[in-house]
Amino acid sequence: QRERERQRERERGKMAHRLLRDREAEGWESAEFPIVCETCLGPNPYLRMTRAEFDKECKICTRPFTVFRWRPGQDARCKKTEICQTCARAKNVCQTCVLDLDYQVPVQVRDHALGEEATRLPQSEVNREYYVQNLEKSIASGEFDAQNKNRARPSELLSQLQRSGPMYHR
């Protein structure tokens, strides 16, 4: 029983350490505005958007990020960001619908049409954190630019699949 109590105390110490961490030292992102497509913003140019810092973890890299919520129209459901800005910039996708920002098609379709391999994140948490930190540094320095990489060689298939205008009724 004493061993169980010691184990609980160790776990409490770990939780307290997590709460006391410095957000900037951890590299968590804090954003002012999301990276979203025109369809997700909706037809109304006046939006009321709420912002919750470090509210959820990214669906791709599992790091905390700033979540934005808004209603794109009167009868529309609430939308919110699902992935962090680092992953959105790396893949050139909308943070909400995770569709390509240029062609409005899923990322797998875009990668297949361009003949690219899908980038996979490392499985372990430490390696994933290291990979994302290096990705953030390369994006900040301007070495990595997913948007210009996609525009350099557009595919015939992508031009056929590309949406001509936003679909607000989604």
Side-chain angles (χ1 to χ4, degrees):
Q1 193 171 18
R2 287 186 178 179
E3 186 63 35
R4 285 184 194 168
E5 290 176 19
R6 289 180 187 155
Q7 183 68 21
R8 287 182 189 151
E9 286 181 30
R10 282 188 222 131
E11 289 177 9
R12 284 185 200 137
K14 288 179 183 176
M15 291 298 286
H17 173 52
R18 284 186 179 167
L19 293 174
L20 296 175
R21 283 197 241 182
D22 185 22
R23 294 174 178 168
E24 278 71 33
E26 288 293 320
W28 296 352
E29 72 174 32
S30 176
E32 294 296 321
F33 197 78
I35 300 172
V36 291
C37 60
E38 190 178 346
T39 303
C40 290
L41 283 176
N44 188 359
Y46 306 105
L47 283 178
R48 197 171 359 162
M49 195 174 284
T50 61
R51 176 178 149 210
E53 286 193 356
F54 315 116
D55 191 33
K56 291 180 75 176
E57 68 178 23
C58 176
K59 304 272 186 190
I60 297 173
C61 67
T62 66
R63 291 174 48 171
F65 73 104
T66 303
V67 176
F68 294 91
R69 289 180 183 84
W70 70 95
R71 284 184 55 191
Q74 284 287 349
D75 54 346
R77 61 181 170 76
C78 275
K79 292 198 175 205
K80 63 181 176 182
T81 53
E82 300 291 339
I83 63 173
C84 67
Q85 287 198 349
T86 305
C87 293
R89 280 192 186 106
K91 296 179 181 271
N92 193 32
V93 294
C94 173
Q95 280 186 277
T96 303
C97 64
V98 196
L99 292 178
D100 183 64
L101 288 172
D102 296 328
Y103 303 107
Q104 292 293 310
V105 294
V107 180
Q108 290 178 327
V109 173
R110 179 200 66 194
D111 289 344
H112 179 72
L114 293 174
E116 294 180 0
E117 292 278 326
T119 56
R120 296 200 178 271
L121 286 176
Q123 295 298 316
S124 72
E125 188 174 335
V126 174
N127 287 340
R128 188 180 313 128
E129 189 72 29
Y130 178 74
Y131 176 80
V132 172
Q133 283 178 354
N134 286 340
L135 187 63
E136 282 179 340
K137 287 178 186 175
S138 64
I139 289 172
S141 67
E143 294 174 14
F144 183 84
D145 192 6
Q147 192 172 14
N148 289 335
K149 184 175 75 168
N150 291 340
R151 288 184 184 165
R153 50 185 174 95
S155 167
E156 177 78 26
L157 179 61
L158 277 178
S159 59
Q160 290 175 356
L161 293 174
Q162 182 179 8
R163 290 194 180 137
S164 58
M167 292 179 28
Y168 295 125
H169 62 277
R170 274 200 291 166

